[in-house]
Amino acid sequence: QVQLVESGGGSVQAGESLRLSCEESGYKYSTYCMGWFRQAPGKEREGVAAFYSSGDRTMYADSVKGRFIISRDNAKNTLYLQMNSLKPEDTAMYYCAASFCRGSWALSLSTNEYNYWGQGTQVTVST
């Protein structure tokens, strides 16, 4: 059974940085897509960044390009999201997700493409 456990959220001021972690266990496929999503109160869940298993493709939402970096440590089975220059509009619950992917062409920021989800970690950015 696949388990995804997020950590690293917290409360920071605008302009500061945070690094989220997502520890994965039980995943059996050799090729996969993993992503970070967020959901603010009253809004739909949206894709933030995605990573293909070989590491040769990443994808970012326009709102975070140039500020956030997605990466993975295969030895630790952990996905990261480095968030720099945080803004109040980045405030949300952040979720890690994973799915089987046949190739890097399948990488997506759509919530519909992901089967496994973590419980989330809260990020709050104040002015």
Side-chain angles (χ1 to χ4, degrees):
Q1 184 175 354
V2 176
Q3 287 192 323
L4 303 172
V5 180
E6 302 96 333
S7 62
S11 296
V12 296
Q13 293 192 326
E16 294 184 340
S17 299
L18 276 176
R19 188 177 79 158
L20 305 184
S21 299
C22 171
E23 187 171 351
E24 168 267 318
S25 61
Y27 201 78
K28 300 179 180 179
Y29 298 110
S30 59
T31 60
Y32 53 84
C33 293
M34 294 191 75
W36 286 99
F37 296 78
R38 66 186 181 188
Q39 188 167 19
K43 294 188 177 182
E44 291 188 355
R45 191 172 297 187
E46 63 175 0
V48 174
F51 178 96
Y52 179 64
S53 52
S54 66
D56 63 355
R57 189 177 183 206
T58 57
M59 185 179 290
Y60 296 93
D62 288 343
S63 58
V64 306
K65 278 181 183 176
R67 299 189 298 124
F68 290 12
I69 301 172
I70 189 171
S71 62
R72 177 174 166 85
D73 186 330
N74 291 330
K76 296 182 178 180
N77 290 335
T78 301
L79 183 76
Y80 299 101
L81 184 67
Q82 177 67 43
M83 305 187 295
N84 301 319
S85 303
L86 282 161
K87 304 176 180 180
E89 50 264 43
D90 294 318
T91 295
M93 183 72 79
Y94 282 72
Y95 298 91
C96 173
S99 69
F100 169 71
C101 275
R102 295 186 183 277
S104 61
W105 51 267
L107 193 62
S108 171
L109 289 175
S110 170
T111 58
N112 295 329
E113 301 300 321
Y114 292 83
N115 306 112
Y116 306 102
W117 293 85
Q119 294 301 307
T121 184
Q122 178 68 37
V123 172
T124 302
V125 185
S126 59
T127 56

